[in-house]
Amino acid sequence: MSAAFVPYAPSRLVPGETLSRGRAMFDRYNARRSVRDFSPAPVPREIVEIAIRTASTAPSGAHRQPWTFVAVSDPAIKREIRIAAEAEERKSYEGGRMSAEWLAALEPLGTDWRKPFLEVAPWLVVLFERTHGIAADGQPIKHFYVRESTGIACGMFIAAIHELGLATLTHTPSPMAFLSRILNRGENERPFALLPIGYPALDAMVPDLRRKSIEEVSVWFE
Ligand code: IYR
């Protein structure tokens, strides 16, 4: 079965407008920071929904959209996630699961096993990748480039959250299997990232980082 095709003719910006919009876009994105100090101020569900819908516009292998966003504001579930995440993180940071090299790399970020943001942030969004789909009759549906597709959707979700004036953090407690258990996900879903969502606390602090320059991150053949 071949897909029907529809015209795609977005209107073009004039060149000067592209540049001014581009500069403003860069300034906006460059202002984004990963945040660990959240305000408990509530965020309406509709806002999180818009971010998920935006992220779900991501390109994906054969357009299978192999992801699930699980949004949690229930305090009891957030608490359960925090307890389980901290237990794993404690084993990683203090139980020898992370190499000395890794711990040294994280030193400037000031992270440790404690994850209070998992309870303070009004929402936790847990992104799962789907290894395969399941048809109505229970038959598996093949998915392609699952990690890549989910990674792209994750990036778009982070961008959307920032565009909405909110903050997030790509938290990847390791191992993450406890998220499948607590959130009751099926055998075809694997945790990809845990993203607390909220406003930054008024006194939030972030590490004083520098970003690589255009020369450091690109090579050009013109
Ligand atoms: N998962 C741990 C460790 C961690 C790893 C990296 I790579 C970071 O950039 C930050 C933290 C944690 O979330 O603390």
Side-chain angles (χ1 to χ4, degrees):
M1 188 187 66
S2 66
F5 277 71
V6 291
Y8 177 66
S11 58
R12 291 190 190 178
L13 299 173
V14 296
E17 205 185 331
T18 310
L19 203 54
S20 60
R21 272 175 58 150
R23 289 194 176 116
M25 177 182 75
F26 171 72
D27 288 344
R28 258 193 345 270
Y29 278 60
N30 196 32
R32 185 201 57 78
R33 296 301 311 262
S34 289
V35 162
R36 293 180 173 80
D37 301 330
F38 286 88
S39 157
V43 170
R45 172 188 162 130
E46 197 181 359
I47 302 291
V48 180
E49 248 177 48
I50 289 170
I52 294 173
R53 285 166 57 201
T54 301
S56 269
T57 68
S60 61
H63 189 53
R64 294 288 152 94
Q65 298 179 268
W67 48 71
T68 308
F69 290 83
V70 180
V72 180
S73 64
D74 181 325
I77 302 177
K78 286 199 300 179
R79 182 163 184 75
E80 204 180 336
I81 290 174
R82 176 185 177 178
I83 289 168
E86 287 187 332
E88 292 294 359
E89 292 290 87
R90 196 164 191 166
K91 281 187 235 163
S92 299
Y93 278 90
E94 294 180 352
R97 279 206 304 218
M98 285 159 83
S99 65
E101 199 179 19
W102 193 355
L103 290 169
L106 293 181
E107 170 78 28
L109 303 183
T111 59
D112 63 25
W113 63 265
R114 291 175 195 85
K115 306 296 172 190
F117 55 77
L118 294 175
E119 271 189 285
V120 176
W123 290 94
L124 300 181
V125 170
V126 188
L127 175 54
F128 288 82
E129 59 181 39
R130 293 190 193 170
T131 55
H132 57 275
I134 300 171
D137 63 1
Q139 285 296 109
I141 299 168
K142 180 99 182 106
H143 283 170
F144 310 91
Y145 293 100
V146 167
R147 295 235 92 191
E148 293 84 348
S149 303
T150 308
I152 295 167
C154 187
M156 289 183 66
F157 182 75
I158 292 165
I161 288 294
H162 180 65
E163 290 276 332
L164 291 163
L166 294 160
T168 188
L169 164 69
T170 321
H171 177 43
T172 49
S174 179
M176 288 197 276
F178 68 90
L179 292 167
S180 303
R181 176 179 52 77
I182 294 172
L183 301 170
N184 198 24
R185 307 317 306 155
E187 53 79 36
N188 66 324
E189 296 190 16
R190 304 231 190 297
F192 186 86
L194 202 178
L195 301 127
I197 310 297
Y199 293 98
L202 289 176
D203 59 353
M205 301 288 283
V206 293
D208 186 16
L209 304 178
R210 296 277 169 277
R211 292 194 161 108
K212 286 181 180 173
S213 67
I214 181 85
E215 290 77 19
E216 290 171 287
V217 298
S218 63
V219 176
W220 302 66
F221 297 89
E222 287 180 282

